[in-house]
Amino acid sequence: MSFPIHRSRRLRKNEAILRLVRETCVSTDDLVYPLFVCEGKAVKSEISSMPGNYRCSIDNIVKEARECRALGIPAIVLFGIPDKKDARGSEAYNPDGILQRAVREVKSAVPELLVITDVCIDEYTDHGHCGLVENGKILNDPTLELLSRMALTHAEAGADIVAPSDMMDGRVGAIRRTLDESGFADTVILSYAAKYASAFYGPFREAADSAPQFGDRTSYQMDPANGAEAIREVMQDIEEGADIVMVKPALAYLDIIRQVRDSCRVPVAAYNVSGEYSMIRAAADKQWLDGERAMMEVLLSIKRAGAQIVLTYFAKAAARIINERQEHRDGIPARA
Ligand code: PBG
């Protein structure tokens, strides 16, 4: 493999040959756009730590959903921001809660768009933890019932995919059983299988007002130091019935995405989280780097690592660029 017989630059000579040998591409089909839904009418308030992202009331969520569909994005993931919080997160499994109503409206306005729902009570509890709390401890088994009820109300509202993000042990199995017993055998479970206790969730906690009021999440989310444990989590979730497994965050965990891809045979998703978005946006706003190029490079790296689905706050911006490139190549508009 030595010079001068082999010259790698032969395959970099022009755009056509680069396209011919390219191994990975990001398509609009890969993208999922996260949205935050709150009470009210005509509300669209920007999240200060995530410029370009908003908390929206249901009417504006429907608009966002239409826009995603028009851009060719196949799915959105919805997070609910309730007006009322309590110790047991009651609004999380209220059949008429903010998220459940949003799902119904979106599914009736844009039925082709897949709706994924976040199943976790932290946005609904006054203490901000993802499980029930007793004497300062986060309880595992009693939380499973609440998560199952929550997932069921999402399925009843029309959610295509429920996505447990709480990291309680056994929640995928509990949710699968509840859904199956209630006639929702076809509802997909996307499990946040390997979710790390990460600093990169900072801006999300502002957006969803879900920062823990005491302690942290290290007794349920994973230690960033561990890799083999991620595979164990993934295997356990698949056994319990997960249809799709996710690694979160994405960028500091590209090695984990690759290991998960190589060790199982179900679709792998990755969550390009709020802090990863905000870092690029902040640097781009300061003109310290080219935001569009950085965004596309990051999304490509997540796909190259082995994720076929990417949840990202960049979804709409990336879809616009992908569609423009396509039009430019074809000489005809990619979409009407
Ligand atoms: C928990 C949840 C979190 C995120 C998604 N689901 C926050 C957390 O664990 O503190 C973070 C997403 C992001 O940072 O973009 N409901």
Side-chain angles (χ1 to χ4, degrees), residues 118 122-123 165 195 201 204-205 217 221 248 274 313:
D118 185 62
D122 68 326
E123 294 123 62
S165 67
K195 176 174 179 179
Y201 307 147
F204 175 97
R205 292 183 187 169
R217 304 209 201 283
Q221 298 182 346
K248 175 187 177 184
S274 57
Y313 302 95

Side-chain angles (χ1 to χ4, degrees), residues 121-122 125 127-131 133 138 210 212-217 220:
I121 61 173
D122 68 326
T125 52
H127 46 72
H129 277 290
C130 304
V133 175
I138 320 299
S210 64
Q213 297 305 301
F214 67 90
D216 56 31
R217 304 209 201 283
Y220 42 107

